[in-house]
Every structure is written in C-alpha cells, then in structure tokens.
Amino acid sequence: MSGAVAILRRLWYRDGSTSSSSSPSSATNSPSDKVFPSLEQRGSVASDHSMSSRTSSPHRLVRALSSKLRPRSRTANGNVEVEAIPRSEAIETLSYRRPKSAHSSLSLNGLVNWGRGPRPITKKPSEAEFGVRSCVSHNDASNGTQLSPNSPLLAAFFPPSPKAPHLAIPNAHSTAQRNLSNKTLQLSDAGHLQKQRSHSLPADAVLRTETPLEPTRVHKEISAGAVMVPGAPFSPISPGPTPPPKDHPLPSEDDARPAEPLPNIMEMLSMVEHRLSKLNYGAINIIAQYNGVSPTYSWTPLGWDANRGVPLPAESPKLVHAAFQGMLVEDAPGLERLSELDVESHPSGRLAGTTTVAGLGWERWEVASRGRRQTVYFMQGALPPLSGPELVQKLQNIKRTLEPANAAEEATLLRGIIGQASSTFFDAERPYNSQAADLIRVINREDLFEDFTLADSVYLLAIAPPPTGMGVRLFLLQMLLGYELYLRLKVCDNTSSFPGITQQVNSTLEMAVRWVENVSTEIVDGELKVYSKIHERQADGLIAFAEAMRWPALDEVRRFAKTAYSDHLGGQIVNVHFLDWLYGTFLPGRWFAWKCMSAAIYASPSLRSYGTTPYYDAGLVLDQHSYWRSRTPLAHVLGGLSSANCVAGWVGPCPPIKLVDGRNFTGWIRIKSKPAEFNQVAVPVEEMTEDEHELQDRGLRVRPGETPRGLLNELADMTKWVFPPPVPKSTTKPNLEQVTLDLLPVDDDDDSSSQCANAVLGFNLGNGYRVTYTIVHNPVFVSAAPCMSGPHLAHTRELERYQNVVDVKDLKDDKMTSPGQILLINATGGGDAEVVARAWCSEAGRHAVISRGNTTCLTCSFNTTENMELSVLILS
C-alpha cells in the first residue's frame, strides 16, 4: 500500500448547521461518526456521554492507572493485546500499560511572579460558565518534604529601600546579575524583618530599616570605616567619627538604626570584590534564589562578559545526535512553565549520572512541589463544529507570528475554534493573555481531551477510536488548540503566573508543537494520509543511541531502522512504540527515554522477548551489559565508571548483574531506594546577622569575636589571597568486582515487570582489602560547572576548611561530619575510585558535587558545594 500511515477511508464530515448538542444517535451524524464519535458525543454538556470524572469516561481505558482496568488477552510471549484498533494488519497490537514512575512532577498554580503583578479579575466566575476542580500531584502527598524553617533559603526577597535610594552602590559583578526584582513579598510580621534574608542579594543591597538614614550620617559612616584598596574606584569623603561598637547604643534619636550600617559593609565588600574580579577572573559564581516553592541555582564565571566574544564553557555534554534534542523542552520566553513537565526535560550534567547546577534546583523543586494542590477552572459547554478537513487545513497553515495589531483578528479566528471567549478574565490591555487563558481553560477539559503524560502511545491514542484511543478528529482538535496556545504564550506577559497550567496543558502544548513540526498530513480522495518529516533523523538517532550504549544487537538495529519506515508505508506490521519514535510523537524527559529504549528493543529481533516495561525507573539487564535510567540509584553510582555514557536518559553500558546465589540475572528490574534528604548545612538564620549572611553568601565566615568590618579589613589585604594547596593524588585504585541483586518478593497480583531488588556493590581496594556498599538512598550528584582561567584564589583564613579530606579507602571508617563542614573525598587514584565515593553517598544518604579532572579548580568546586548547601565534594 502506498503512502499512508493511517488511512481513514471515510473522513468524518460534519454539517455546519448540525446542532452542537445532538445525541450520539442523531441522524445528522455521518456513518463514520459512529466509529470516530463527534465532539458532542464525548464531551458536550447535553450529551449522554458527558463525564465529570476522568476515570468514568469510556475512552479512558488506554491511560488507566493500572493495567487491571482494561480487558486484555495474553499472547505467547507475555505481551498484551488490545482490541478494536483500526487497520490491525498495519498496526501491531502489543501491551499498552501506562508506565509508572517515582518521579512524577506537578504543575503548580504559578511560581512567584517577581515582575508585574496579576491583573485583578472583574467578577467571580459563574458556575454556568466554568467548571472547577482541585487536583494534586501524581506523587503521594504524604511524602512531601518540607524545607527546614531555619533554612536561609526560606527568606523573602527584598528590593532596594525606597527610603534611601542614594545608598544604592553599583554592583561589582557587572555581568553577574542577581535579584533584579522590583517587587517584594509582604511579610506578616514586620518585626522579623532583620531575620529574613535573601540568599542572592546583589553587592549593592542595602539594609532596610523602618527609620530613614540621614545622608550626612551615611557619608560619615562610609568614610570612617572604608577600606582603601589600591586601584579601587573609591574616594573617601571627609573623615568622620568612628561609629561605636555594635553592642553600644547610639544616641536616643538613632536607637532604631544599626550601629554598623550595612551600606558601609557593602561598600567595603564591593571594593574587595572589584579587585578580586580581576585577580579571580573566570571563577564560578553560584547564584541561589528562592522562587516561592524551592531554591533555584544558576552560575556565571566571575567577570565574564558575553559581549566580548569569549564563549561560556559548556556545562552539559554535547548531544550525540540531533534526534536527542527531543529529550529537552523548548527554552524560550513565555514557555517557562513548560519546564515543569518533567525534571529530565532539562540538560544533564557533563558526567554520567549527574545533573547540572540548575538541575539541582529542579530536583529540589520536585520534592517541594509534591502533594501541592491547585484549583483549576475549565470551560464547559459544546465547542463549534469542525469537520476533519477543516482541522487538517487549519493545522497545515497554523504557523505564523502574532502581532499586537492583529489581536482583534486573532480573537475572531479563535472564536471559530472554541466559541465565545470569556468576559470574566478579559484583559483589555493584554488581549493575547486573555486568549491564552481561554485556551488553557478549554484544554483543561477532562471530558474531551487527554493528558498525554498518562498515555503509553500517542500514535495509538490518535488513530484508534474509543475506548482504546480518542479518535483522529478529537486528537487533531487538541493539537490545534495546543499550538494556538503555544503561539500566544510566546507573546504574552508574565506567563509564569498563569493559573491552571496543569500537566494536561503542558503535555498538550508540547505534543502540539511536535506534531506540527514532525508530522505532515494530507487528504487524497477522502483518505487521510499521515507522514513523518523526521523518520530519517530518528532512524539515525536510534543507531547513534545503540552505538553509544554498545548495544549487543547493534547490527540488527542498523538493518531494521533503515527500512522500517518504508516497510510500514508498504503495509508491514510495525510496533506502535517504534512508530512513536519515527514520528516524534512522544513527550520530552522520561517519556523520551522510555520510548527510545522501547524502539531499540523492537529494532533488535533477538531481544524482542524482553518487551517493554510499565515503569519509567526500571533498568534493563542483558547478558553482557546493563542499562539504567539516569535518575535511578544505580545510574547515579555506576555513572562514575570510565566506560559509562549518559545518552537519551540512559546510563550505560554498565556491568552485568548477578543474584546473591551467584546466578546471572537478565530482564527488567527496579532498585529499591529512598530519597536522600536535602539537609541544611548553613548556620541557622537567627544565629547570624545580616552582615554575616552577606559574607556567607560569598563563601566567607565571621569567626567568634570578629566583626564583619574586621573581616573585610583582613580581606582587603590582597597578599593573603593564595591558591589552596592541591589535594595529593590518592594511591588507592579500587576495582568494582560485582553488582549483586537480592530479589524482593512479588505480590500475587503483580507480574515480573514489577520485580524490585536490593543492590550491593563489591569493591577490591587493593592489598586484599574488600568493601561492600548497599544502595540505600538515591542521592543527587552535581557536576561542577567548568571555570575559566583557573586555578583561582582563596583567602588564607579559609584554607583550614580545605583540609577535611578523606581517602576513598577510609570512607567506611569516616564519621559523619558536623553541620557546617564540607567533606572532601579524595577519589583521584583512578580505577573505580569515583564509583566507591558515589556508592558511599548512596549508603550514607549524602548529595554531592563531583569535580573530575582539571575542568573545575579546587576553589571553585569547594565554593560550588557550599553555595548550593551540599556537604560532600568528590574529587576524582
């Protein structure tokens, strides 16, 4: 058969005059509507099939939370067949159970908006116009981990005080922009103002007090305590009296003012940092902020300027193939909330099994957002009737740029798709915002549209009629709505604060973009033909994945991938997971990784007996190698192997696995572990002054009996800035001898794919000394960002903190370090020393920063660990 992936011999034509509330048995529906139900049959308020619950809708079986909710029949190889799939001779009927994951994320009701505040609504939504529901994370709400109330990361952001604008001091880091917010969070208790702090105040921050500071007094204070640094752009005013000590009160009229004002401290610090920005050019500057849910992290080299033509060092590895770009979400203005789709939709660290500096923030966001609820408004009522050819034509011509002058025309076009727009949330000043909000409320309809995060095959969901799928017409309508929303979000203001952006909205948005970019459709003689624009790229990408993973059936993949698309167009049976891969109909992150491995297995006829797994966190063990999902504990630990790569969300090739009784193990397996907690390392907020916080943010500590001004006087002595002594190369060269699994019992109602196990790693440290580590926790490892022009300087007063070094052979005897200390693990001896260090972190439940080689100097690695509030630095 020529040129069709899915051919519908009778497209569903609708009479435009047909009532939008007709019943399923209405005579106005064409015969094809009995196979592909109309919009009214599935979601109209007047329809007999209108449902308010996701699980009660008849077409929801394909995305049920358990495989038991759908009738299936077993095949000889253990796969499950699903009935009622159109053109069964062209689509292989395999198992379709929704993959399960321990890493489900939640779309929140909007991150804290540091820009313009949300527009007030004009009236309360009426129940006739909107439906309201409350949703919660896919994770167990009882497992939510709260940040410590003493953590400095719980502090609010404060803008420069409007009472003393003349105190604003230029930031010494001209390119290291920190908190540029002009808004602030309102505190319920103003008396706690001095204890609240920002973890990312810029160098020009000033202390906010309730009493305005007099300009004359400020000049005296700055001149009296200023530190003269050679070459620094500072000219003191006329000398003034030395301010009294911190514990002595000022005269009565100044009782409410601090004895040692922060502007003076910040002026002194600004001068020191100005000089260090030249001496320590290229040093890593970690910027930590709080977004209202969890901390976020970013970094920039000190003194780096993008306009000078010097490229920024790459923090993430270069993609092995262009096809793997599908693992990531689009990073563009207006699409910030799309990043909430999945933690793995962000770039991975440059070392296998690690994340980036920004990735640590997303890991903490997932923990903090687990179990949070949000109220979602969604539109009710029937949508305008659109026939199949109309939907195809609209999608073919949908690419365009929205201009502000065309907002009224775009609103008219949108009414032809979703009906009359809402007047409740209308914003006359920002019409595209109002249009986007209307689209969000339509897409949130669970009676009509799908949440693609719960679908195992989007291709099958699109072409199969209910209850297996949603039907082509309804699928194309959801793609049309998703892309219209995509166009508007890119020109909207403050999209991060939009309410109602759920996983259903985010997955629709992402899938619509991929459908428009990757798939072409046409109607020929009443038949709908669907083609892939990227099948060659996807086939080459699958081969690149197999090569990077040292896939045992590499030759089979090469032969099959090259001809699979043409064979499919010719009518040959092809697995729907493989079709998802060829057409690019998958979501980024863990969905991409799962689909890539499923395609690799199907492209290897000798390995097809392993099938697919319903779990996103399951690893695959073969005779020669094992492969582990990048966010699972064995991937984090075995990523330290010199032979391991991280490609498309998989870490491998890793060693084969044995059971405790010595037998070899093959198949899918999940490793039992629990999350490692993010413990507070810094001194509690109430035990530090505001000045001390500012110094701590820059890696400096005020010693007992020392004042911040005294510290800055010492820091101003540039002769005391030296290179820290390097950690000597370790003589320990461990060897990973084996990875052993202890299988856990499987419930009677579970199948083999639900098998879990405890994992134990055995190492030979040399001289007959052997140790074992048990995988207990699933820690997060951060690849240290590369610095420029290193090594970099550290102050002599801080050098003692670099001496807390433990060799990998002594980790079993190491005691937990006290709070506030950073443990440096010496894994520089080669071999599998880094794997030993990672295994210890898993057993002890410690997150860590990993610095391998000379990419990041010791000073920058240490400061990165401290500024991200981690307590372990692995040097390998």
Side-chain angles (χ1 to χ4, degrees), residues 558-578:
R558 286 172 174 162
R559 289 193 299 268
F560 184 86
K562 290 295 186 181
T563 60
Y565 183 70
S566 59
D567 292 343
H568 168 64
L569 294 182
Q572 183 173 322
I573 296 176
V574 177
N575 180 290
V576 292
H577 297 310
F578 197 85

Side-chain angles (χ1 to χ4, degrees), residues 191 197 318 375 396 422 510 589 591 616 654:
R197 60 177 284 264
K318 185 179 179 181
T375 299
Q396 289 174 342
S422 167
E510 183 65 33
W591 298 278
Y616 290 112
C654 297

Side-chain angles (χ1 to χ4, degrees), residues 314-319 327-328 343-357 359 630-631 645-651 781 783:
E315 185 184 10
S316 298
K318 185 179 179 181
L319 294 177
M327 182 81 179
L328 311 176
V343 172
E344 291 187 71
S345 62
H346 306 276
S348 61
R350 59 186 179 87
L351 305 179
T354 67
T355 187
T356 61
V357 170
S630 59
R631 291 186 69 210
N645 299 315
C646 184
V647 179
W650 290 89
V651 172
F781 296 120
S783 292

Side-chain angles (χ1 to χ4, degrees), residues 156-171:
F157 285 139
F158 299 107
S161 172
K163 299 180 180 179
H166 54 278
L167 295 181
I169 300 170
N171 190 346

Side-chain angles (χ1 to χ4, degrees), residues 57 369 410 458 475 553 739 839:
S57 186
S369 64
E410 292 291 344
V458 175
F475 174 81
V739 181

Side-chain angles (χ1 to χ4, degrees), residues 677-689:
E677 296 184 358
F678 289 95
N679 295 322
Q680 177 185 339
V681 180
V683 179
V685 106
E686 63 271 11
E687 299 180 8
M688 301 178 66
T689 66

Side-chain angles (χ1 to χ4, degrees), residues 75 79-85 88 91-96 460 573-576:
T75 59
N79 290 327
V80 179
E81 292 188 351
V82 181
E83 303 299 333
I85 299 178
S88 59
I91 304 171
E92 185 174 358
T93 56
L94 296 179
S95 60
Y96 303 114
L460 177 65
I573 296 176
V574 177
N575 180 290
V576 292

Side-chain angles (χ1 to χ4, degrees), residues 4 10 19 21 156 160 175 179 187 207 248 263 294 361 382 441 483 527 564 610 628 633 698 729 765 783:
R10 290 193 301 268
S19 172
S21 60
T175 61
N179 179 23
L187 300 179
L207 179 64
H248 285 72
S294 63
R441 288 188 287 272
Y483 203 87
E527 297 179 349
Y610 289 102
W628 305 96
R698 292 157 175 81
K729 184 177 179 62
L765 302 183
S783 292

